[in-house]
Amino acid sequence: MTTTTTATAPGRPLTPSRTTATAARVLRQLHHDPRTIALLLLVPVLMITLLRYVFDGAPGTFDSIGASLLGIFPLITMFLVTSIATLRERTSGTLERLLALPLGKGDLIAGYALAFGAVAVVQSVLATAVSVWLLDLDVTGSPWLLLLVALLDALLGTALGLFVSAFAASEFQAVQFMPAVIFPQLLLCGLFVPRDRMHPVLEAISNVLPMSYAVDGMDQVVRHSDLTGAFLRDIAVVAGSALLVLCLGAVTLRRRTP
């Protein structure tokens, strides 16, 4: 009987009760891990605060890059925590026991996304509030739009972390995926050099990387008081990328680490 249930679990449709139960279990685990909570909620705020005073002698510099970093830091922290947490579930055998129950891979991935998405909301609210109201980040558009992009970036980091955890055999390997997945996007997203000034090959690559659109979306909020078509395109790309990667994560999710 167990074999039959296990074989059919991946094909089960999403069930709200199972998804929310999975999310509640993940949140309970996070509640008992203060170091992870600090990494998720405090590190982005501390990094943005540090950069504010690093550029204290260069007026306008923080305003020009602060919004972009507001989206990048949550993406990086959510990627790290999610990839390691999911891998830990698999190496400990928890994932295998869960999937032996009437719980599909989609329920599991959606539950993780829901749990870390709830954390991402708190993370994004804290980082945005500190940046705008305490660090005086100058934003032409609505701070709520900054919050929206920061939240989507954090969800994208969650999705990427869930996806790459399927290909790691240890927590160290999960961290090693960061140079391969995050650093190229960081270098090509337009934070250091405008993308239209890059070599045509690098510009073409940047055009398919979701972090590029996250940075562009933040830039639209900084420069424009109203919603623009470019902003709507940018957030659609980031949200669509997160959804696509979550689907890929459900397909590639493994029960155990060889």
Side-chain angles (χ1 to χ4, degrees):
M1 295 297 294
T2 301
T3 304
T4 302
T5 301
T6 301
T8 58
R12 291 178 180 271
L14 286 176
T15 306
S17 60
R18 294 168 182 159
T19 298
T20 53
T22 300
R25 180 182 62 81
V26 174
L27 289 174
R28 284 195 299 269
Q29 291 177 335
L30 286 176
H31 177 70
H32 296 293
D33 190 351
R35 288 177 298 181
T36 300
I37 294 175
L39 174 63
L40 288 171
L41 301 184
L42 299 182
V43 168
V45 173
L46 292 175
M47 293 298 293
I48 291 173
T49 302
L50 176 63
L51 282 170
R52 164 65 179 83
Y53 291 102
V54 165
F55 296 117
D56 192 49
T61 303
F62 179 70
D63 291 334
S64 65
I65 67 171
S68 299
L69 295 174
L70 185 59
I72 291 173
F73 285 152
L75 189 155
I76 293 174
T77 55
M78 295 303 293
F79 172 84
L80 281 173
V81 171
T82 306
S83 59
I84 292 173
T86 308
L87 179 66
R88 191 175 297 168
E89 294 268 80
R90 198 172 70 241
T91 55
S92 66
T94 302
L95 188 58
E96 185 176 8
R97 292 193 297 271
L98 288 172
L99 291 178
L101 301 172
L103 181 72
K105 290 184 178 181
D107 289 313
L108 193 68
I109 291 294
Y112 269 97
L114 182 62
F116 284 107
V119 177
V121 170
V122 180
Q123 181 192 71
S124 301
V125 168
L126 283 175
T128 303
V130 169
S131 298
V132 174
W133 287 293
L134 293 183
L135 302 180
D136 297 322
L137 178 65
D138 188 14
V139 179
T140 301
S142 169
W144 293 106
L145 295 180
L146 278 186
L147 174 61
L148 173 62
V149 181
L151 176 58
L152 290 176
D153 289 345
L155 293 175
L156 176 61
T158 298
L160 289 170
L162 289 169
F163 176 65
V164 304
S165 68
F167 304 98
S170 66
E171 293 183 16
F172 180 67
Q173 286 187 7
V175 175
Q176 285 180 314
F177 273 105
M178 190 171 180
V181 176
I182 300 297
F183 286 179
Q185 297 194 68
L186 184 62
L187 293 174
L188 298 177
C189 69
L191 179 64
F192 303 106
V193 178
R195 292 194 293 129
D196 57 3
R197 297 183 187 176
M198 295 179 183
H199 188 279
V201 174
L202 296 180
E203 183 182 0
I205 295 174
S206 73
N207 288 336
V208 298
L209 298 177
M211 190 184 290
S212 300
Y213 295 91
V215 170
D216 287 350
M218 288 293 194
D219 186 64
Q220 290 292 316
V221 178
V222 169
R223 297 177 182 275
H224 301 280
S225 58
D226 299 321
L227 282 175
T228 64
F231 174 80
L232 295 176
R233 177 209 61 194
D234 293 334
I235 63 171
V237 170
V238 176
S241 298
L243 181 60
L244 175 61
V245 175
L246 282 176
C247 293
L248 291 175
V251 172
T252 59
L253 183 66
R254 293 183 293 166
R255 296 173 180 277
R256 66 175 73 182
T257 299

